[in-house]
Amino acid sequence: MTEWLSAAEALDRLGLKPQTLYAYVSRGLIAARPDPADSRRSLYRSREVEVLAERRRRSRRPSDVAAGAMTFGEPVLASAITTVHAGRHWYRGRDAIVLAETETLESVARLLRGGDGVTLKRSDRPAPPTEGPPLARAFLALAARAAAAPPALGQPTLARSAEAAVLLDVFADALAAETEPGPIHLRLAKAWRLGPGGPGADLIRRTLVLLADHELNPSAFAARVAASTGASLAASALAGLAALSGPRHGGAPAALALFREEARRLGPAAAVSARLSEDRSLPGFGHPLYPDGDPRASALCVRFQAAADLEALADQVRATTGQAPNIDFALVALCDHLGAPEGSALSLFAAARCAGWLAHALEQIQDGGLIRPRARYTGDIFDQDPAA
Protein backbone atom coordinates (compact mmCIF):
# COMPACT_ATOMS: atom_id res chain seq x y z
CA MET A 1 0.00 0.00 0.00
CA THR A 2 1.24 3.50 -0.83
CA GLU A 3 2.19 5.38 2.34
CA TRP A 4 0.60 8.67 1.23
CA LEU A 5 -2.47 9.48 -0.88
CA SER A 6 -3.46 12.55 -2.82
CA ALA A 7 -6.57 14.46 -1.79
CA ALA A 8 -8.50 12.99 -4.72
CA GLU A 9 -7.50 9.45 -3.75
CA ALA A 10 -8.38 10.00 -0.10
CA LEU A 11 -11.75 11.54 -0.97
CA ASP A 12 -12.52 8.66 -3.32
CA ARG A 13 -11.79 6.03 -0.66
CA LEU A 14 -13.70 7.86 2.03
CA GLY A 15 -16.61 9.09 -0.08
CA LEU A 16 -16.42 12.52 1.54
CA LYS A 17 -16.52 16.17 0.61
CA PRO A 18 -13.19 18.07 0.84
CA GLN A 19 -14.27 20.09 3.88
CA THR A 20 -14.98 16.87 5.80
CA LEU A 21 -11.53 15.53 4.95
CA TYR A 22 -9.97 18.75 6.25
CA ALA A 23 -12.03 18.44 9.44
CA TYR A 24 -10.67 14.92 9.99
CA VAL A 25 -7.14 16.27 9.58
CA SER A 26 -7.73 19.14 12.02
CA ARG A 27 -9.04 16.65 14.60
CA GLY A 28 -5.92 14.53 14.23
CA LEU A 29 -7.70 11.53 12.72
CA ILE A 30 -5.68 11.65 9.48
CA ALA A 31 -2.07 12.79 9.21
CA ALA A 32 -1.24 15.17 6.39
CA ARG A 33 1.99 16.55 4.93
CA PRO A 34 2.93 18.85 2.04
CA ASP A 35 3.27 17.18 -1.36
CA PRO A 36 7.00 17.28 -2.28
CA ALA A 37 6.02 17.75 -5.91
CA ASP A 38 3.68 20.67 -5.21
CA SER A 39 3.81 22.49 -1.87
CA ARG A 40 0.32 23.92 -2.49
CA ARG A 41 -1.17 20.43 -2.16
CA SER A 42 -1.23 17.93 0.68
CA LEU A 43 -0.81 14.18 0.98
CA TYR A 44 -2.74 12.04 3.45
CA ARG A 45 -1.54 8.95 5.30
CA SER A 46 -3.16 5.97 3.61
CA ARG A 47 -3.29 3.73 6.69
CA GLU A 48 -5.39 6.27 8.60
CA VAL A 49 -7.60 6.87 5.56
CA GLU A 50 -8.29 3.12 5.39
CA VAL A 51 -9.13 2.96 9.10
CA LEU A 52 -11.70 5.72 8.69
CA ALA A 53 -13.03 4.19 5.48
CA GLU A 54 -13.59 0.89 7.28
CA ARG A 55 -15.29 2.72 10.13
CA ARG A 56 -17.65 4.39 7.67
CA ARG A 57 -18.42 1.07 5.99
CA ARG A 58 -19.55 -0.42 9.26
CA SER A 59 -23.07 0.12 10.47
CA ARG A 60 -23.70 2.99 12.88
CA ARG A 61 -25.07 0.76 15.59
CA PRO A 62 -24.27 2.08 19.09
CA SER A 63 -21.90 -0.86 19.67
CA ASP A 64 -19.90 -0.01 16.55
CA VAL A 65 -19.72 3.67 17.46
CA ALA A 66 -18.50 2.80 20.96
CA ALA A 67 -15.84 0.43 19.64
CA GLY A 68 -14.54 3.07 17.26
CA ALA A 69 -14.30 5.61 20.05
CA MET A 70 -11.78 3.64 22.08
CA THR A 71 -8.66 4.68 20.11
CA PHE A 72 -8.44 8.38 19.19
CA GLY A 73 -12.10 8.24 18.14
CA GLU A 74 -15.12 10.26 19.11
CA PRO A 75 -15.22 11.78 22.63
CA VAL A 76 -16.69 9.38 25.18
CA LEU A 77 -17.18 11.55 28.28
CA ALA A 78 -17.50 15.20 29.22
CA SER A 79 -14.58 17.04 30.82
CA ALA A 80 -13.76 20.71 31.42
CA ILE A 81 -10.07 20.09 32.13
CA THR A 82 -8.12 19.80 28.87
CA THR A 83 -8.79 19.67 25.15
CA VAL A 84 -6.85 19.60 21.90
CA HIS A 85 -8.13 22.19 19.45
CA ALA A 86 -6.68 23.85 16.36
CA GLY A 87 -3.34 22.13 16.76
CA ARG A 88 -2.81 23.28 20.39
CA HIS A 89 -3.78 21.93 23.78
CA TRP A 90 -5.68 23.96 26.32
CA TYR A 91 -5.99 23.78 30.11
CA ARG A 92 -9.46 25.00 31.09
CA GLY A 93 -9.50 27.33 28.10
CA ARG A 94 -5.93 28.60 28.50
CA ASP A 95 -3.18 27.80 26.01
CA ALA A 96 -0.71 25.40 27.64
CA ILE A 97 2.13 26.74 25.47
CA VAL A 98 1.53 30.23 26.82
CA LEU A 99 1.24 28.97 30.40
CA ALA A 100 4.63 27.27 30.07
CA GLU A 101 6.25 30.69 29.71
CA THR A 102 5.55 31.71 33.31
CA GLU A 103 3.74 29.07 35.36
CA THR A 104 4.92 26.24 37.60
CA LEU A 105 3.54 22.72 37.79
CA GLU A 106 1.91 23.61 41.11
CA SER A 107 0.03 26.60 39.69
CA VAL A 108 -1.08 24.64 36.63
CA ALA A 109 -2.14 21.72 38.85
CA ARG A 110 -4.31 24.16 40.77
CA LEU A 111 -5.81 25.42 37.51
CA LEU A 112 -6.53 21.86 36.36
CA ARG A 113 -8.20 21.06 39.68
CA GLY A 114 -10.47 24.07 39.29
CA GLY A 115 -8.59 26.50 41.52
CA ASP A 116 -8.69 24.86 44.95
CA GLY A 117 -6.13 23.49 47.35
CA VAL A 118 -2.84 25.12 46.47
CA THR A 119 -2.83 27.75 49.21
CA LEU A 120 -3.36 25.29 52.05
CA LYS A 121 -0.36 24.24 54.12
CA ARG A 122 1.03 20.81 53.28
CA SER A 123 2.52 19.47 56.48
CA ASP A 124 1.75 15.76 56.24
CA ARG A 125 4.38 14.68 53.72
CA PRO A 126 6.07 11.50 54.93
CA ALA A 127 9.69 10.66 54.21
CA PRO A 128 9.81 9.17 50.70
CA PRO A 129 11.24 5.78 49.74
CA THR A 130 14.92 6.12 48.86
CA GLU A 131 15.77 2.69 47.44
CA GLY A 132 15.29 1.54 43.87
CA PRO A 133 14.66 3.44 40.63
CA PRO A 134 12.41 6.53 40.62
CA LEU A 135 9.32 4.82 39.20
CA ALA A 136 9.52 2.05 41.80
CA ARG A 137 9.76 4.66 44.56
CA ALA A 138 6.71 6.44 43.16
CA PHE A 139 4.71 3.21 43.16
CA LEU A 140 5.68 2.57 46.78
CA ALA A 141 4.79 6.09 47.92
CA LEU A 142 1.35 6.06 46.30
CA ALA A 143 0.60 2.50 47.41
CA ALA A 144 1.42 3.34 51.03
CA ARG A 145 -0.87 6.37 50.93
CA ALA A 146 -3.64 4.46 49.14
CA ALA A 147 -3.52 1.66 51.72
CA ALA A 148 -4.32 4.08 54.54
CA ALA A 149 -6.54 6.64 52.81
CA PRO A 150 -10.34 6.61 53.18
CA PRO A 151 -12.61 6.63 50.12
CA ALA A 152 -12.84 9.98 48.40
CA LEU A 153 -16.63 9.86 48.19
CA GLY A 154 -18.27 11.93 50.87
CA GLN A 155 -15.27 14.10 51.63
CA PRO A 156 -15.66 17.89 51.36
CA THR A 157 -14.51 19.34 48.05
CA LEU A 158 -11.83 21.51 49.67
CA ALA A 159 -10.46 18.55 51.63
CA ARG A 160 -10.13 16.51 48.43
CA SER A 161 -8.34 19.37 46.70
CA ALA A 162 -5.97 19.79 49.63
CA GLU A 163 -5.21 16.06 49.53
CA ALA A 164 -4.50 16.34 45.80
CA ALA A 165 -1.97 19.11 46.48
CA VAL A 166 -0.25 16.95 49.08
CA LEU A 167 -0.22 13.92 46.79
CA LEU A 168 1.49 15.85 44.03
CA ASP A 169 4.27 16.73 46.47
CA VAL A 170 4.46 13.16 47.82
CA PHE A 171 4.81 11.89 44.27
CA ALA A 172 7.58 14.38 43.44
CA ASP A 173 9.36 13.56 46.71
CA ALA A 174 9.44 9.89 45.74
CA LEU A 175 10.89 10.66 42.32
CA ALA A 176 13.57 12.88 43.87
CA ALA A 177 14.14 10.51 46.82
CA GLU A 178 14.05 13.39 49.29
CA THR A 179 11.62 15.83 50.87
CA GLU A 180 12.51 19.43 50.10
CA PRO A 181 10.66 22.75 50.20
CA GLY A 182 10.09 24.83 47.11
CA PRO A 183 8.63 24.24 43.63
CA ILE A 184 8.84 20.77 42.14
CA HIS A 185 11.00 21.83 39.19
CA LEU A 186 13.67 23.17 41.57
CA ARG A 187 13.54 20.02 43.67
CA LEU A 188 14.01 17.80 40.62
CA ALA A 189 16.83 20.02 39.37
CA LYS A 190 18.58 19.66 42.71
CA ALA A 191 18.07 15.89 42.76
CA TRP A 192 19.62 15.70 39.29
CA ARG A 193 22.54 17.88 40.46
CA LEU A 194 21.64 20.74 38.13
CA GLY A 195 21.70 23.36 40.86
CA PRO A 196 18.72 25.12 42.45
CA GLY A 197 18.11 27.48 39.52
CA GLY A 198 19.41 28.40 36.12
CA PRO A 199 18.49 27.29 32.60
CA GLY A 200 18.26 23.60 33.47
CA ALA A 201 15.67 24.16 36.17
CA ASP A 202 13.67 26.45 33.90
CA LEU A 203 13.61 23.82 31.15
CA ILE A 204 12.28 21.32 33.69
CA ARG A 205 9.61 23.84 34.75
CA ARG A 206 8.48 24.37 31.16
CA THR A 207 8.36 20.64 30.50
CA LEU A 208 6.28 19.93 33.60
CA VAL A 209 3.72 22.53 32.56
CA LEU A 210 3.51 21.26 28.98
CA LEU A 211 2.99 17.68 30.15
CA ALA A 212 0.64 18.26 33.09
CA ASP A 213 -2.35 16.83 31.22
CA HIS A 214 -3.34 15.73 27.73
CA GLU A 215 -7.06 15.15 27.56
CA LEU A 216 -8.35 11.58 28.00
CA ASN A 217 -5.06 9.70 27.57
CA PRO A 218 -4.83 6.10 28.87
CA SER A 219 -3.44 7.00 32.30
CA ALA A 220 -5.99 9.79 32.85
CA PHE A 221 -8.77 7.41 31.87
CA ALA A 222 -7.43 4.76 34.26
CA ALA A 223 -7.41 7.35 37.05
CA ARG A 224 -11.00 8.30 36.26
CA VAL A 225 -12.15 4.67 36.27
CA ALA A 226 -10.64 4.19 39.73
CA ALA A 227 -12.12 7.46 40.97
CA SER A 228 -15.56 6.51 39.65
CA THR A 229 -15.64 3.64 42.15
CA GLY A 230 -15.14 6.09 45.03
CA ALA A 231 -11.53 5.06 45.58
CA SER A 232 -9.13 7.45 47.31
CA LEU A 233 -7.22 10.01 45.30
CA ALA A 234 -4.00 8.12 46.03
CA ALA A 235 -5.54 4.95 44.58
CA SER A 236 -6.69 6.87 41.50
CA ALA A 237 -3.20 8.31 40.98
CA LEU A 238 -1.78 4.82 41.46
CA ALA A 239 -4.07 3.56 38.69
CA GLY A 240 -2.78 6.34 36.45
CA LEU A 241 0.82 5.44 37.22
CA ALA A 242 0.13 1.78 36.47
CA ALA A 243 -1.20 2.72 33.03
CA LEU A 244 1.74 5.05 32.39
CA SER A 245 4.21 2.25 33.09
CA GLY A 246 3.16 0.37 29.95
CA PRO A 247 5.42 0.48 26.87
CA ARG A 248 2.67 2.04 24.70
CA HIS A 249 2.36 5.03 27.03
CA GLY A 250 5.26 5.91 29.31
CA GLY A 251 7.58 3.53 27.49
CA ALA A 252 7.97 5.87 24.51
CA PRO A 253 11.30 7.39 25.69
CA ALA A 254 12.81 3.91 26.02
CA ALA A 255 11.57 2.99 22.54
CA LEU A 256 13.14 6.16 21.13
CA ALA A 257 16.42 5.31 22.85
CA LEU A 258 16.44 1.98 20.97
CA PHE A 259 15.62 3.74 17.68
CA ARG A 260 18.43 6.21 18.38
CA GLU A 261 20.88 3.35 18.90
CA GLU A 262 19.82 1.79 15.58
CA ALA A 263 20.44 5.13 13.86
CA ARG A 264 23.90 5.38 15.42
CA ARG A 265 24.78 1.88 14.28
CA LEU A 266 23.21 1.83 10.82
CA GLY A 267 22.98 5.52 10.01
CA PRO A 268 19.73 7.53 10.13
CA ALA A 269 18.60 6.74 6.59
CA ALA A 270 19.12 2.99 6.93
CA ALA A 271 17.51 2.90 10.38
CA VAL A 272 14.39 4.73 9.20
CA SER A 273 14.18 2.63 6.03
CA ALA A 274 14.52 -0.61 7.97
CA ARG A 275 11.72 0.28 10.35
CA LEU A 276 9.38 1.35 7.58
CA SER A 277 10.08 -1.78 5.52
CA GLU A 278 9.29 -3.93 8.56
CA ASP A 279 6.13 -1.90 9.33
CA ARG A 280 7.56 -0.83 12.69
CA SER A 281 6.79 2.49 14.33
CA LEU A 282 9.08 5.51 14.47
CA PRO A 283 8.99 6.33 18.22
CA GLY A 284 9.40 9.98 19.03
CA PHE A 285 7.78 11.21 15.82
CA GLY A 286 4.25 12.13 14.76
CA HIS A 287 1.10 12.29 16.84
CA PRO A 288 -2.49 11.46 15.81
CA LEU A 289 -3.83 14.62 17.46
CA TYR A 290 -1.26 16.94 15.87
CA PRO A 291 -1.07 16.38 12.10
CA ASP A 292 0.96 19.59 11.70
CA GLY A 293 3.43 18.70 14.46
CA ASP A 294 3.33 18.45 18.24
CA PRO A 295 3.37 22.04 19.58
CA ARG A 296 4.67 20.88 22.95
CA ALA A 297 7.81 19.52 21.30
CA SER A 298 8.29 22.68 19.26
CA ALA A 299 7.89 24.93 22.31
CA LEU A 300 10.50 22.92 24.20
CA CYS A 301 13.06 22.12 21.50
CA VAL A 302 13.61 25.78 20.57
CA ARG A 303 14.99 26.33 24.08
CA PHE A 304 18.07 24.13 23.75
CA GLN A 305 20.31 22.43 21.20
CA ALA A 306 19.62 18.72 20.85
CA ALA A 307 22.48 16.28 20.38
CA ALA A 308 23.76 16.06 16.82
CA ASP A 309 22.72 12.43 16.34
CA LEU A 310 19.16 13.19 17.47
CA GLU A 311 18.99 16.18 15.14
CA ALA A 312 20.19 13.99 12.27
CA LEU A 313 17.57 11.37 13.05
CA ALA A 314 14.84 14.02 13.20
CA ASP A 315 15.94 15.44 9.85
CA GLN A 316 15.85 11.99 8.27
CA VAL A 317 12.41 11.09 9.62
CA ARG A 318 11.04 14.44 8.51
CA ALA A 319 12.53 14.07 5.00
CA THR A 320 11.31 10.48 4.61
CA THR A 321 7.84 10.60 6.16
CA GLY A 322 7.03 14.22 6.89
CA GLN A 323 6.58 13.43 10.58
CA ALA A 324 7.91 15.98 13.07
CA PRO A 325 9.35 15.22 16.51
CA ASN A 326 6.77 14.80 19.26
CA ILE A 327 6.98 15.41 22.99
CA ASP A 328 8.67 12.05 23.59
CA PHE A 329 11.54 13.14 21.33
CA ALA A 330 11.72 16.47 23.16
CA LEU A 331 11.83 14.71 26.53
CA VAL A 332 14.69 12.42 25.52
CA ALA A 333 16.59 15.27 23.87
CA LEU A 334 16.12 17.49 26.93
CA CYS A 335 17.30 14.91 29.46
CA ASP A 336 20.26 14.15 27.22
CA HIS A 337 21.06 17.88 27.04
CA LEU A 338 20.83 18.24 30.83
CA GLY A 339 22.90 15.15 31.54
CA ALA A 340 20.05 13.92 33.75
CA PRO A 341 20.18 10.42 35.25
CA GLU A 342 18.96 7.41 33.28
CA GLY A 343 15.19 7.16 33.35
CA SER A 344 14.72 10.89 33.94
CA ALA A 345 12.52 11.32 30.87
CA LEU A 346 9.91 8.98 32.32
CA SER A 347 10.29 10.57 35.77
CA LEU A 348 9.63 14.01 34.30
CA PHE A 349 6.64 12.70 32.37
CA ALA A 350 5.20 11.02 35.47
CA ALA A 351 5.78 14.00 37.78
CA ALA A 352 3.90 16.26 35.38
CA ARG A 353 1.10 13.88 34.52
CA CYS A 354 0.29 13.20 38.17
CA ALA A 355 -1.27 16.67 38.22
CA GLY A 356 -3.61 15.61 35.44
CA TRP A 357 -4.50 12.29 37.06
CA LEU A 358 -5.55 14.06 40.23
CA ALA A 359 -7.57 16.68 38.36
CA HIS A 360 -9.40 13.98 36.40
CA ALA A 361 -10.06 11.99 39.57
CA LEU A 362 -11.52 15.06 41.28
CA GLU A 363 -13.73 15.87 38.30
CA GLN A 364 -14.96 12.28 38.07
CA ILE A 365 -15.84 12.22 41.77
CA GLN A 366 -17.62 15.56 41.48
CA ASP A 367 -19.58 14.51 38.40
CA GLY A 368 -20.50 11.16 39.92
CA GLY A 369 -21.36 7.98 38.10
CA LEU A 370 -19.56 4.68 37.72
CA ILE A 371 -17.54 4.11 34.55
CA ARG A 372 -18.65 0.65 33.55
CA PRO A 373 -18.80 -0.03 29.78
CA ARG A 374 -20.25 -3.25 28.38
CA ALA A 375 -18.18 -5.86 26.54
CA ARG A 376 -19.17 -7.25 23.15
CA TYR A 377 -19.06 -11.01 23.67
CA THR A 378 -16.98 -12.92 21.08
CA GLY A 379 -16.52 -16.22 22.93
CA ASP A 380 -18.00 -19.68 22.47
CA ILE A 381 -21.68 -20.06 21.77
CA PHE A 382 -23.90 -20.93 24.70
CA ASP A 383 -24.54 -24.59 25.52
CA GLN A 384 -28.17 -23.70 25.97
CA ASP A 385 -29.94 -20.57 24.83
CA PRO A 386 -31.37 -19.03 28.04
CA ALA A 387 -34.09 -17.35 25.97
CA ALA A 388 -35.32 -20.68 24.57
Side-chain angles (χ1 to χ4, degrees):
M1 179 189 298
T2 303
E3 176 75 9
W4 298 92
L5 303 173
S6 68
E9 292 170 326
L11 291 171
D12 180 64
R13 297 190 189 192
L14 289 167
L16 297 174
K17 296 180 179 179
Q19 52 265 42
T20 307
L21 173 62
Y22 305 148
Y24 280 152
V25 171
S26 67
R27 288 161 55 195
L29 299 178
I30 299 177
R33 71 169 191 180
D35 187 342
D38 185 350
S39 60
R40 297 170 299 176
R41 301 178 182 275
S42 295
L43 299 177
Y44 304 87
R45 192 181 299 282
S46 59
R47 182 168 47 193
E48 292 161 359
V49 169
E50 290 301 328
V51 168
L52 282 174
E54 174 60 26
R55 191 178 298 173
R56 286 175 58 80
R57 284 191 291 268
R58 291 199 308 249
S59 73
R60 301 306 289 171
R61 293 179 303 172
S63 60
D64 291 330
V65 174
M70 295 305 288
T71 306
F72 291 106
E74 296 299 321
V76 297
L77 57 78
S79 175
I81 299 172
T82 307
T83 191
V84 175
H85 175 70
R88 311 273 278 200
H89 77 301
W90 307 79
Y91 297 155
R92 292 192 180 273
R94 299 183 63 183
D95 191 333
I97 307 299
V98 175
L99 290 171
E101 292 295 317
T102 58
E103 300 301 312
T104 64
L105 178 62
E106 288 87 343
S107 63
V108 166
R110 183 189 179 201
L111 171 66
L112 294 175
R113 293 196 301 265
D116 294 324
V118 77
T119 59
L120 300 180
K121 290 186 177 181
R122 309 168 196 167
S123 58
D124 56 344
R125 287 160 57 188
T130 57
E131 300 297 324
L135 204 65
R137 299 195 300 265
F139 269 110
L140 288 172
L142 287 179
R145 193 127 185 145
L153 284 181
Q155 293 185 10
T157 299
L158 193 58
R160 288 197 297 256
S161 294
E163 170 67 2
V166 173
L167 277 171
L168 186 61
D169 269 332
V170 166
F171 193 82
D173 289 345
L175 293 172
E178 57 186 352
T179 300
E180 292 281 347
I184 289 172
H185 67 277
L186 295 183
R187 288 147 54 189
L188 291 177
K190 180 183 177 184
W192 296 349
R193 295 178 172 80
L194 299 176
D202 188 65
L203 286 170
I204 292 173
R205 179 193 62 77
R206 290 174 181 273
T207 304
L208 291 171
V209 171
L210 291 170
L211 282 170
D213 192 48
H214 201 231
E215 206 205 46
L216 202 59
N217 59 82
S219 54
F221 189 63
R224 290 191 80 115
V225 171
S228 78
T229 71
S232 68
L233 289 180
S236 297
L238 188 60
L241 181 60
L244 184 72
S245 69
R248 292 181 177 176
H249 194 5
L256 175 56
L258 179 61
F259 186 22
R260 180 184 190 181
E261 180 55 36
E262 292 170 6
R264 285 171 170 169
R265 179 166 42 87
L266 304 173
V272 172
S273 177
R275 281 185 169 256
L276 292 176
S277 66
E278 297 166 5
D279 196 27
R280 290 193 292 156
S281 65
L282 304 177
F285 298 92
H287 194 291
L289 296 180
Y290 301 112
D292 296 324
D294 189 335
R296 301 168 299 172
S298 301
L300 193 55
C301 286
V302 296
R303 299 286 171 178
F304 65 94
Q305 181 64 51
D309 68 310
L310 282 173
E311 290 279 9
L313 181 57
D315 290 342
Q316 185 63 53
V317 171
R318 190 181 288 107
T320 304
T321 69
Q323 296 184 56
N326 61 27
I327 191 61
D328 299 314
F329 178 94
L331 266 177
V332 170
L334 172 64
C335 291
D336 184 83
H337 170 74
L338 295 177
E342 184 178 354
S344 296
L346 181 54
S347 293
L348 204 53
F349 193 175
R353 199 50 61 86
C354 186
W357 301 334
L358 293 166
H360 280 279
L362 288 170
E363 185 180 60
Q364 186 63 42
I365 294 166
Q366 187 70 29
D367 291 350
L370 177 69
I371 298 177
R372 203 292 191 189
R374 294 292 310 278
R376 186 176 66 254
Y377 182 71
T378 60
D380 295 335
I381 61 173
F382 299 106
D383 291 336
Q384 181 177 355
D385 187 349

